[in-house]
Every structure is written in structure tokens, then in C-alpha cells.
Amino acid sequence: MCKKRFDLTRWAAAVALCCHVTPTPSALADNTPACVARVSAYVSELDQLLSTQIPWYRPLEIGPYNELNRKYFPFGGCDGDPILIEATKSRFVQVIGYNPRARYYLVRFSNKDVTTGFSYDVKERKVESLGAGWVRDSFFNP
């Protein structure tokens, strides 16, 4: 009787350990709707920012783009496909690249003056800002 109880306890402990160590797919996808909403809001605000025409005689300011990136990034616990689909809804999306060795995506948005974007790490399921920068020719072609 005692040996049978010991075997059952050992088996239950092994099952509990396996369940604790291996995350279930439903637990992994819990944060995806919030991530998609966040990327959607980012793309919407970014499209408004990139579509504003700035007169050639005023220097461009990169500050609003960096503030927008600080407002929305970083965040994690997301599935990649819905995020990338949401990013393609922008009219300023330029490139969605994938690095198979490092297992991450790069998403770039740009108008003729500014480029910005984010990266998605497949292994860590994390989205981070790539920062904002100037398009090289914007100062030479007003």
C-alpha cells in the first residue's frame, strides 16, 4: 500500500513539473489581442505623423517620432503574424524583413524625410522600437 502511494505521488509530481515547465499554447497567446491593439494604435498615430507636410524652410524635428516610439515600445508576449498584418495596414510601410538565423522581423516605415519602425523577436515574443532617423536625401532635395 505504501509503495503504491509513493509511486502515485512520484507520478503526480512528474506531471505537475511537466505542466509547470511547458507553457500551454493558450497561455502564450493571452497577450496577443492587447499587442495587436497597441500596434494598431501605433500605426494610426505614425501614419498621421508621417503624412504631415513640413515646409522645406523649416527644419524637421525627429522628436515627435521618438516620443511616439517611447510611448508604445517595448512590449511582449505577442504572436508575430497578427502584429505583422497590422503593420501592413500602414500606407508608409516600406519593408518587412526576416532574419532566419536570429529569428526576428524588422518592420520599417518611411516617408521621404523620416524612417522609423520596430523589431519583433520570435524567440522572446517581444516587440521593440528601432528608433527614428533621417532619410539621407531629405536634406539635399527640399
Side-chain angles (χ1 to χ4, degrees), residues 1-12:
M1 175 85 172
C2 189
K3 182 169 173 43
K4 193 180 239 181
R5 181 178 292 171
F6 178 73
D7 287 342
L8 259 170
T9 306
R10 198 168 63 181
W11 182 80

Side-chain angles (χ1 to χ4, degrees), residues 10-30:
R10 198 168 63 181
W11 182 80
V15 169
L17 179 66
C18 288
C19 288
H20 178 71
V21 171
T22 333
T24 60
S26 62
L28 290 175
D30 284 346

Side-chain angles (χ1 to χ4, degrees), residues 52-90:
T52 57
Q53 295 294 325
I54 300 174
W56 66 270
Y57 54 84
R58 278 184 56 202
L60 295 175
E61 296 179 10
I62 204 81
Y65 297 95
N66 287 328
E67 287 178 27
L68 186 66
N69 287 338
R70 276 192 295 274
K71 178 180 175 182
Y72 285 101
F73 301 110
F75 58 92
C78 308
D79 291 335
D81 290 338
I83 290 171
L84 298 174
I85 290 169
E86 199 62 38
T88 60
K89 294 179 181 177
S90 171

Side-chain angles (χ1 to χ4, degrees), residues 28-42 72-79 82-83 86 125 127:
L28 290 175
D30 284 346
N31 206 17
T32 298
C35 295
V36 170
R38 199 166 182 153
V39 170
S40 177
Y42 171 75
Y72 285 101
F73 301 110
F75 58 92
C78 308
D79 291 335
I83 290 171
E86 199 62 38
R125 304 178 71 229
V127 182

Side-chain angles (χ1 to χ4, degrees), residues 42 46 69 73 107-109 115-119 128-132:
Y42 171 75
L46 183 63
N69 287 338
F73 301 110
V107 180
R108 279 281 180 199
F109 305 92
T115 182
T116 188
F118 62 86
S119 66
E128 295 186 61
S129 169
L130 294 177

Side-chain angles (χ1 to χ4, degrees), residues 117-135:
F118 62 86
S119 66
Y120 173 72
D121 187 335
V122 175
K123 289 184 280 188
E124 295 189 23
R125 304 178 71 229
K126 188 173 181 182
V127 182
E128 295 186 61
S129 169
L130 294 177
W134 303 112
V135 174

